[in-house]
Amino acid sequence: MPDAMEGREAVELLERARTVVNPQLRATVESLPGSMRRVAMYHFGWERADGTPGGGRPGKAIRPALVLAATTALGGDPRSAVRAAAAVELVHNFTLLHDDVIDEDATRRHRPTAWTVFGSPDAIIVGDALFALALRLIAEDEHRASAAASARLAACVIELCAGQQADCAFEHRAPQEVSLGECLAMAMAKTGALLGCACALGALYAGAGDEEVAAMDAFGREAGLAFQLIDDLIGIWGDPGQTGKPAGADLAAHKKSLPVVAALGSGTPAAAELAELYRGPMGAAAVTRAADAVERAGGRDWAQVHAADRMGRAVDHLARAVPDLAAAGELLALAEFVTRRTR
């Protein structure tokens, strides 16, 4: 029952974050020029491809929820951090638009991706515009933390881009040439950095000192790596009805995700089988065999254990910023949620 209660609390926190942040987020997106606005509104699910209302599911709002929860945990007013929370969500969606083009993903949130509807150039350009909107949103904020927050967000995006570049580079290397250490560093940059930034921005808007901000950043990074580990598991074994993507999508794309790299490095017969599968085309039958090989080689178990370990490290960092963890209940509920999710 405690797990179910924590799950309900997290869902309520995410819904509350959407309710509080979405008006600012939508107003900011609607400030884009017409042609770009149409692509962005479709991507966020607020409009269909023809410009009529609705048609898509909203994002989970994990990152903006973390901003607000971090502000609350350190005694600040979460209402003061709404612009920062919206900015983090804009950056997240900038990366999604670009990732979908790079990975040639055809579906997101149960409908065609923006690039498949409007073309790659428009999706890339709108992604760039969302990043610019994020920086403008914070730069125009009158809060005293605005300058520090803007600089931190810009530095985070550079780290995100480095992580994405590393991820792309892995695709051109042989299956067993990518080390687990390299893969973990890539995931920390590509996923952990933005969750860490979200928590750090919340701390800044609460007026926290440098040590508390650094500890909150470290908490978010470790929780972000746990998030990525679970995301990688979902990319292999997730239910398409829940994820909105085909089963085994990451395997079909020959992604060197964390469970795959852990499996490849196991030195088992299953690892050799997986490496051979990764050298050839990956149809439906091969995807099934590859998923089985990852599991037999220990990749699934390793990812689950490592996600739990990273969450333990995250809580240790959080305790440095918020010694009374009861005050950080919202952050802990969100962190627990992202490591137990199924989509």
Side-chain angles (χ1 to χ4, degrees):
M1 286 303 294
D3 287 348
M5 290 176 64
E6 288 170 355
R8 284 198 299 273
E9 181 183 358
V11 169
E12 290 171 1
L13 288 168
L14 295 172
E15 183 57 38
R16 193 186 315 157
R18 278 194 292 268
T19 300
V20 171
V21 175
N22 269 5
Q24 177 68 72
L25 183 65
R26 183 160 183 163
T28 304
V29 170
E30 287 179 341
S31 72
L32 288 171
S35 57
M36 288 195 291
R37 181 173 63 245
R38 182 180 172 191
V39 178
M41 294 291 283
Y42 172 83
H43 168 76
F44 278 99
W46 295 321
E47 290 183 357
R48 295 181 174 85
D50 62 4
T52 56
R57 294 186 181 185
K60 289 183 283 291
I62 289 169
R63 292 154 190 84
L66 286 171
V67 175
L68 302 181
T71 305
T72 300
L74 288 163
D77 181 355
R79 292 173 296 181
S80 71
V82 168
R83 291 172 74 95
V88 169
E89 187 69 355
L90 286 166
V91 166
H92 174 52
N93 281 276
F94 138 69
T95 67
L96 295 183
L97 281 162
H98 284 198
D99 284 358
D100 286 343
V101 173
I102 292 168
D103 297 338
E104 298 183 345
D105 282 339
T107 59
R108 179 174 293 282
R109 298 169 186 159
H110 300 270
R111 63 182 192 154
T113 45
W115 75 270
T116 66
V117 176
F118 300 99
S120 296
D122 277 0
I124 293 168
I125 290 166
V126 170
D128 294 341
L130 293 186
F131 174 39
L133 284 178
L135 291 181
R136 189 182 76 183
L137 196 57
I138 293 184
E140 292 178 349
D141 195 348
E142 296 180 357
H143 195 283
R144 63 185 179 277
S146 171
S150 182
R152 184 173 283 270
L153 188 60
C156 173
V157 170
I158 293 171
E159 189 174 356
L160 287 173
C161 291
Q164 180 63 65
Q165 186 180 44
D167 192 20
C168 292
F170 290 169
E171 295 181 17
H172 302 290
R173 292 164 62 179
Q176 291 172 308
E177 287 181 1
V178 178
S179 73
L180 195 52
E182 287 178 301
C183 202
L184 285 165
M186 177 274 292
M188 183 65 84
K190 189 175 173 182
T191 302
L194 188 55
L195 270 71
C197 184
C199 295
L201 292 193
L204 286 170
Y205 273 74
D210 291 345
E211 289 187 8
E212 288 84 2
V213 172
M216 292 297 275
D217 181 85
F219 162 76
R221 284 173 176 271
E222 293 292 353
L225 191 48
F227 177 99
Q228 186 60 56
L229 284 155
I230 300 304
D231 200 60
D232 286 350
L233 291 172
I234 292 169
I236 298 174
W237 290 285
D239 177 0
Q242 294 288 319
T243 65
K245 294 186 176 184
D250 285 359
L251 296 174
H254 293 80
K255 279 281 183 184
K256 296 180 180 71
S257 62
L258 286 161
V260 168
V261 173
L264 288 168
S266 67
T268 62
E273 180 184 340
L274 180 61
E276 185 60 32
L277 286 165
Y278 257 57
R279 293 188 183 98
M282 197 78 76
V287 165
T288 300
R289 289 173 56 203
D292 180 62
V294 172
E295 184 151 17
R296 286 187 285 112
R300 188 173 192 167
D301 287 343
W302 175 88
Q304 290 170 333
V305 169
H306 203 68
D309 175 67
R310 290 290 176 166
M311 275 309 307
R313 299 186 198 188
V315 173
D316 289 342
H317 287 301
L318 181 60
R320 291 195 291 117
V322 190
D324 179 8
L325 286 177
E330 293 183 357
L331 279 174
L332 290 170
L334 290 168
E336 179 75 13
F337 175 78
V338 300
T339 56
R340 292 183 181 275
R341 64 201 175 90
T342 58
R343 61 185 177 89

